[in-house]
């Protein structure tokens, strides 16, 4: 519900909804809802094919308004766009890299760990001994050394499994890329 430049999110009871209309609002109904004033909102996203409108507010907070009907979702977005003239409207297809940043980072990370641990595993299997020095907890090098001690076969098998999962997530994310409407300050 949107009233007085505030977006209310919640699940009111059916009996409470029946008592409410566009002119009068029983404010006791609103006490169980989460409210986001327009003044707090930094950005609003409406992506085609998704059943929610994403609202970014405060420092790093975000909230999703789930709406199952695409027509109603579009109407709500249009209402906010027309109701608040401080927002700048734009519509674009997100870039491949921007949209899949997390999946690409996962691919690069597991590949880097794989190469490093595989190199150490090959060295260990050829007779070279490695030792962790220092009294602190082992950092990333210690973790890589532990992985390297598993052996090349297990490292390759583990990498292929993680690579398959990362590629599956990347493909799924790419398929969900669609036009997105933005309202930004």
């Amino acid at each position: 519900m949107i009233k007085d430049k505030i977006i209310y999110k919640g699940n009111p009871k059916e009996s409470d909804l029946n008592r409410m209309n566009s002119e009068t609002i029983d404010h006791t109904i609103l006490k169980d809802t989460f409210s986001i004033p327009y003044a707090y909102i930094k950005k609003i996203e409406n992506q085609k094919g998704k059943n929610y409108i994403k609202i970014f507010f405060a420092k790093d907070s975000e909230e999703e308004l789930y709406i199952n009907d695409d027509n109603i979702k579009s109407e709500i977005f249009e209402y906010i766009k027309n109701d608040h003239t401080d927002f700048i409207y734009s519509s674009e297809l997100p870039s491949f890299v921007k949209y899949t940043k997390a999946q690409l980072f996962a691919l690069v990370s597991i590949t880097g760990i794989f190469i490093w641990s595989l190199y150490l595993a090959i060295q260990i299997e050829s007779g070279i001994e490695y030792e962790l020095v220092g009294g602190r907890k082992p950092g990333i090098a210690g973790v890589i050394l532990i992985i390297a001690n598993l052996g090349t076969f297990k490292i390759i098998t583990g990498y292929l499994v993680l690579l398959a999962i990362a590629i599956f997530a990347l493909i799924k994310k790419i398929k969900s890329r669609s036009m997105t409407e933005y309202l930004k300050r």
Side-chain angles (χ1 to χ4, degrees):
M1 179 174 76
I2 301 170
K3 181 74 172 166
D4 299 325
K5 303 215 182 278
I6 299 174
I7 299 172
Y8 294 95
K9 179 184 178 190
N11 292 320
K13 297 175 189 162
E14 186 77 28
S15 60
D16 290 340
L17 285 175
N18 292 334
R19 292 186 302 150
M20 198 167 35
N21 66 39
S22 62
E23 278 75 40
T24 61
I25 294 194
D26 182 1
H27 289 283
T28 59
I29 296 169
L30 301 178
K31 70 178 167 85
D32 295 330
T33 61
F34 179 70
S35 61
I36 308 169
Y38 281 1
Y40 294 175
I41 298 173
K42 292 181 176 182
K43 178 172 75 168
I44 300 174
E45 288 182 6
N46 180 24
Q47 185 176 3
K48 303 292 182 207
K50 302 282 185 179
N51 65 342
Y52 57 84
I53 295 173
K54 194 177 280 193
I55 301 172
F56 298 88
F57 59 98
K59 271 198 170 205
D60 294 323
S61 299
E62 65 182 64
E63 194 67 38
E64 294 170 347
L65 300 176
Y66 286 91
I67 305 155
N68 291 327
D69 187 337
D70 282 338
N71 293 329
I72 293 173
K73 184 177 90 153
S74 295
E75 285 178 22
I76 291 171
F77 187 80
E78 284 298 316
Y79 178 82
I80 295 170
K81 182 172 104 176
N82 296 329
D83 190 39
H84 199 342
T85 56
D86 291 348
F87 290 124
I88 298 169
Y89 174 80
S90 64
S91 179
E92 64 185 48
L93 183 65
S95 71
F96 176 80
V97 173
K98 180 181 176 184
Y99 195 71
T100 60
K101 186 176 7 179
Q103 291 76 17
L104 292 174
F105 180 75
L107 278 170
V108 169
S109 299
I110 63 172
T111 301
I113 291 170
F114 166 72
I115 292 170
W116 189 5
S117 61
L118 184 65
Y119 171 76
L120 290 176
I122 291 169
Q123 295 290 317
I124 290 170
E125 288 175 356
S126 68
I128 296 177
E129 292 184 15
Y130 288 95
E131 179 181 331
L132 289 177
V133 179
R136 301 178 308 176
K137 293 181 181 179
I140 187 73
V143 173
I144 298 296
L145 191 56
I146 291 169
I147 294 170
N149 279 311
L150 294 173
T152 55
F153 179 75
K154 288 181 181 176
I155 292 172
I156 292 171
T157 304
Y159 173 70
L160 291 177
V161 168
L162 292 174
L163 184 65
I165 292 168
I167 289 174
F168 175 74
L170 180 65
I171 291 170
K172 187 175 177 185
K173 186 74 172 182
I174 290 169
K175 285 183 180 179
S176 72
R177 188 172 78 141
S178 61
M179 286 300 286
T180 305
E181 296 176 296
Y182 298 97
L183 292 175
K184 298 178 186 175
R185 285 199 188 271

